[in-house]
Amino acid sequence: MTDAATSVGEYTSDEMMTVTAARCLRDGQVCFVGIGLPSEAANLARLSHAPNVVLVYESGTIGTRPDVLPLSIGDGELAETADLVVGVPEIFAYWLQAGRIDVGFLSAAQIDRYGNLNSTVIGPYEQPDVRLPGAGGAPEIAANAGQVIVMLRQTPRSFVAEIDFITSLGFGRDGRGRIGARGAGPTLVITDMGVLKPDPVSHELTLVAVHPGVEVEAVRRATGWELLVADVIEVGEAPTPDELAVLRDLVERTRQAHSG
Amino acid sequence: MTDAATSVGEYTSDEMMTVTAARCLRDGQVCFVGIGLPSEAANLARLSHAPNVVLVYESGTIGTRPDVLPLSIGDGELAETADLVVGVPEIFAYWLQAGRIDVGFLSAAQIDRYGNLNSTVIGPYEQPDVRLPGAGGAPEIAANAGQVIVMLRQTPRSFVAEIDFITSLGFGRDGRGRIGARGAGPTLVITDMGVLKPDPVSHELTLVAVHPGVEVEAVRRATGWELLVADVIEVGEAPTPDELAVLRDLVERTRQAHSG
Amino acid sequence: MAEIASLGDAIGDLVPDGATVAMEGFTHLIPFAAGHEMIRQGKKDLTLARMTPDVIYDQMIGMGCARKLVFSWGGNPGVGSLHRFRDAVENGYPHPLEIEEHSHAGMASRYAAGASGLPFGVLRGYAGTDLVEHTRVAAISCPFTGEDLVAVPSLNPDVTVIHAQQADRRGNVGMWGITGVQREAVLAATTSIVTVEEVVDELSANGPNHVVLPSWTVTAVAPVPGGSHPSYSMGFSTRDNAFYTRWDGISRDRESFARWMTEFVMGTPDHASYLARIAEEHD
Amino acid sequence: MAEIASLGDAIGDLVPDGATVAMEGFTHLIPFAAGHEMIRQGKKDLTLARMTPDVIYDQMIGMGCARKLVFSWGGNPGVGSLHRFRDAVENGYPHPLEIEEHSHAGMASRYAAGASGLPFGVLRGYAGTDLVEHTRVAAISCPFTGEDLVAVPSLNPDVTVIHAQQADRRGNVGMWGITGVQREAVLAATTSIVTVEEVVDELSANGPNHVVLPSWTVTAVAPVPGGSHPSYSMGFSTRDNAFYTRWDGISRDRESFARWMTEFVMGTPDHASYLARIAEEHD
């Protein structure tokens, strides 16, 4: 719903965000995908430059090729178009935990400077101001996927100095690292304003790219801490007409399929 | 091959042994079955007084209804006639270990007075006189089945005072019990001469029944230790014509199916 | 052997107040009819276990059936919040709700351990998260490598309730498509109730991932066509996505929720009447 | 993505001397052709893992391919002893064979742990047996209940080899019927080779328990019709029970074993020729 508001030229900032994420996927990679923007990005990649990307959903559908985006993680089309469907205990044990996932997508309500994610509560756990849905598959995706791509709209309320609850491990509250986790953690944070990467040494998220027409200053203002900015800031490439055509086609097909 | 030798009247001692074991199964019980005499007994029960007995083989076939006896634990007919077929890790974890098996059948090369079974080696483990096949599913059947029925031809070489190796736990070398095992253990030992049960207190196997025409003295001579004998010894009921007809029919069908 | 029973009798006979009840179904095959029947029968003090509480537990929590919730993701899939769940946790309405939350992997491991007759499951998870201080996990180290891992306690419900596509006349249950943790939840439970779309002579695999539960692992089978609405049963119905979207508005305030429950659940004698009411409304 | 290769190339390229090799198949779908090819290529110092060594490992042990055997039941199913296995253990012929033996449940748990990326598995087993002193197990206690259980180390073969009914042209593998621990053995391995009866456009479930291994979990697929003889492939062949019975005589003494191996395996360039030789003999 923020699309109209943040529209930049002839594409929206959410479209830019989705396209940017899709471009990060290489053909043949195995991706653990959630519902929403990650699902949109992964399927855009599959329908454009990465036809052999393998999409895995926590509902147990492996190698699925939905024609429209699922509204829920368990939509029938995910099963009908999958290479195989397995039970939920197996998807987490044999597939995610075993290290078979190259890229895991995550979103959250809050992220801190070390890429830790909160999808559990706003405020104190015992007496929350807002009770969020909770962990789902996120903690083990964060721990066991080869790398994690975070997709999150950038606002001072979502990019916070002090995270209320660590649902999924980034590099820890002190940024020291990832004891007990095997994956590389959040290597990319893609927002509606630009792209952040953890500093190789300090692990602190650093702005490395902005989307076309976005000022670094605006990104700073949208961040709840003193944002680190790379010496050289890239400007992301706007969505190509082809990318936009495939994405909008997918979204429209989806809208029609799920309406009524 | 011992059949002819031990033939008693118009049925063999192996037939008596099989019929005796079959009679111990109640309709609807879930039985974990191995190849050979146990498979013969369990299928005889299914084809006679216990049509709803559930046969489970360690190959992952559950509720199977073979028309002929399997030669191997993985014969195709076991899968074709099963209610469901599962993988081997699952058959042991979800089905046997979980305590879903009422009766497990076991055999062995050696048994001792406390119902411990050896199917691993004759002689020292490191330098065995005879290397036997080994454990297979037996240790966990002995540990986790509700009760265990042992079927074994009775000779001084199989009923030994000192067992060379405990592959499957009965009541332990000292007869003290079954630490770490949840099932009741060997509640019945059915041989070609009679039936033994563990003493409720000492757990020592006690002769409680002989087959028709078998002298208690002969059973003593076939036992490698000073055999306990119940005050009152029952004499087993000879196979009925119906039982023999069904059993011989099954064996003949099996012979024809597996010949050539 | 499973007994073929009416849903009303099965819930009445097998689900005591205060029981730990797992009603599983991962978006697909959610046993809504059974949940509605528990609401109609006024079940209370239940400990409700479910990976994704979904609208089914939002309704049961809002109607005061639950004393405690054991879960791993409490949202309205593809829509947003579960408002009755939030109202219970944030404001203790209709009464305080104790919660025990896990990750999906943790819940799945708990059910699998329960189905395996083990007291705990082991996984690579929870590490570095604040969940560790707020849920039931323990550190465990590998006796061979010394590596540190996490143990979760097995989950063995008193009663597990699921919805499946088929049962045969002997009570064997067949389902396909996305089957989630239902098999483990049934095998881990003391008692199990399965509502089914149809009773057939022979089970038939009409989709991928055919799962069979033998009759002797199930306590009662109740034929309830459409028993998963607004969830779906692959091969029989499609997910009522519009309803899930409408639920956001219905459940947002206490009065409209109460009105809806009175009209569609308390005001209908059984699931067939509920489905008829839903259909009318669509016209 | 799995590469479709010839059996000779797959074994030559992917199975180094000294590797830990698991060749699974629980009576059904035993990859005999691959075993014969390893014998032809003179593979040696292998650590051979398999729940049931069966005739396939009896042949490889007798031909001197194995340094160590990891197993849980070493008999000739329905017939009796594996004489080459016994000769190696009892008399160190053709050379001493190190053995590590488990129960079936232990081996299955080891493969499942390996497939799950865990360093160990937990089970209720081995308790009170002499296996405990002669194999790799460890005591582990439940951090919640204190109950004592047994841990087994995960088994992650360097190479797993299996035989399946089908692969599609992208290298996805499909099998059905009794599938044993093959899925876990492949998922636990660093490298995997799958011989198949046929390569098809679309995988099709032609029996119960359809199991699919995605192309990207398999290293190489080699079409080898009849590749499981004398074991069988449900839907393609039946078990050659007569051969298993004959094997008792063939393998009982060293000379007749050597003669048979020379004639049927070393003397045949590939599996098609082996099958032709077997067929001739039957006439």
Side-chain angles (χ1 to χ4, degrees), chain D residues 91-222:
Chain D
N91 313 309
Y93 181 89
H95 52 64
L97 178 71
E98 184 185 342
I99 64 171
E100 175 185 336
E101 72 183 297
H102 285 269
S103 66
H104 277 351
M107 282 290 279
S109 178
R110 297 186 63 196
Y111 279 121
S116 304
L118 294 174
F120 68 101
V122 177
L123 69 155
R124 297 183 181 281
Y126 294 86
T129 76
D130 292 337
L131 283 165
V132 172
E133 299 133 45
H134 295 284
T135 192
R136 296 173 58 211
V137 297
I140 191 163
S141 66
C142 174
F144 304 101
T145 64
E147 190 178 359
D148 292 321
L149 298 147
V150 169
V152 289
S154 64
L155 179 50
N156 293 94
D158 297 322
V159 187
T160 287
V161 183
I162 66 169
H163 184 72
Q165 282 101 336
Q166 292 183 330
D168 67 19
R169 304 194 190 287
R170 294 181 297 147
N172 297 303
V173 170
M175 54 186 162
W176 58 84
I178 291 165
T179 57
V181 291
Q182 286 99 298
R183 203 165 54 125
E184 286 75 15
V186 166
L187 294 178
T190 310
T191 299
S192 58
I193 301 171
V194 182
T195 56
V196 296
E197 289 291 330
E198 63 178 4
V199 175
V200 295
D201 293 330
E202 279 290 326
L203 299 180
S204 53
N206 301 330
N209 184 36
H210 193 226
V211 167
V212 172
L213 286 165
S215 182
W216 52 278
T217 63
V218 174
T219 313
V221 168

Side-chain angles (χ1 to χ4, degrees), chain A residues 47-115:
Chain A
L47 295 169
S48 52
H49 69 281
N52 299 309
V53 70
V54 179
L55 304 191
V56 178
Y57 289 79
E58 65 191 13
S59 48
T61 55
I62 298 172
T64 182
R65 301 172 184 77
D67 181 55
V68 303
L69 297 171
L71 178 66
S72 86
I73 197 84
D75 279 15
E77 194 180 8
L78 293 178
E80 285 154 7
T81 63
D83 286 331
L84 70 159
V85 180
V86 301
V88 163
E90 180 181 326
I91 199 73
F92 284 105
Y94 284 9
W95 300 86
L96 176 59
Q97 179 174 271
R100 272 174 249 287
I101 305 299
D102 299 316
V103 180
F105 281 98
L106 289 176
S107 192
Q110 292 183 333
I111 185 171
D112 70 11
R113 74 184 64 211
Y114 294 118

Side-chain angles (χ1 to χ4, degrees), chain C residues 180-240:
Chain C
V181 290
Q182 286 98 298
R183 203 166 52 125
E184 286 75 13
V186 166
L187 294 179
T190 310
T191 299
S192 58
I193 301 171
V194 183
T195 57
V196 296
E197 289 290 331
E198 62 178 5
V199 176
V200 296
D201 292 330
E202 279 291 326
L203 300 180
S204 53
N206 301 329
N209 184 39
H210 193 225
V211 166
V212 173
L213 286 166
S215 180
W216 52 276
T217 63
V218 173
T219 313
V221 168
V224 185
S228 62
H229 177 274
S231 169
Y232 73 106
S233 300
M234 189 183 219
F236 292 84
S237 58
T238 57
R239 191 168 186 268
D240 190 346

Side-chain angles (χ1 to χ4, degrees), chain D residues 36 47 61 67 86 90 107 116 141 181 232 266 277:
Chain D
H36 291 164
T47 292
I61 290 165
R67 182 187 67 71
R86 283 186 56 182
E90 295 170 9
M107 282 290 279
S116 304
S141 66
V181 291
Y232 73 106
M266 302 310 286
R277 238 353 249 104

Side-chain angles (χ1 to χ4, degrees), chain A residues 35 58-61 71-80 85-90 92 97 116 120-121 125-140 143-144 163-169 172-173 179-182 257-260, chain C residues 26-28 51 71-81 85-86 89-91 99-106 108-109 111-112 122-131 134 147-148 177-181 184 208-209 232 234 239-242 244-245:
Chain A
I35 292 305
E58 65 191 13
S59 48
T61 55
L71 178 66
S72 86
I73 197 84
D75 279 15
E77 194 180 8
L78 293 178
E80 285 154 7
V85 180
V86 301
V88 163
E90 180 181 326
F92 284 105
Q97 179 174 271
N116 302 299
T120 302
V121 286
Y125 184 82
E126 304 303 345
Q127 205 41 257
D129 306 323
V130 181
R131 172 64 226 201
L132 303 164
E140 285 71 30
N144 297 314
I163 197 165
D164 292 338
F165 192 96
I166 297 184
T167 310
S168 306
L169 178 65
R173 273 201 176 75
I179 299 93
R182 292 203 301 181
H258 292 161
S259 63
Chain C
F26 203 84
T27 308
H28 180 216
M51 291 179 66
F71 74 107
S72 44
W73 190 81
N76 179 342
V79 178
S81 288
F85 157 67
R86 282 186 57 181
V89 174
E90 295 170 9
N91 312 310
I99 63 172
E100 175 186 336
E101 73 184 298
H102 285 269
S103 65
H104 277 351
S109 179
Y111 278 121
V122 177
L123 71 155
R124 298 181 179 279
Y126 294 86
T129 76
D130 293 337
L131 283 165
H134 295 284
E147 189 177 1
D148 292 322
I178 291 165
T179 57
V181 290
E184 286 75 13
N209 184 39
Y232 73 106
M234 189 183 219
R239 191 168 186 268
D240 190 346
N241 291 322
Y244 273 92
T245 306

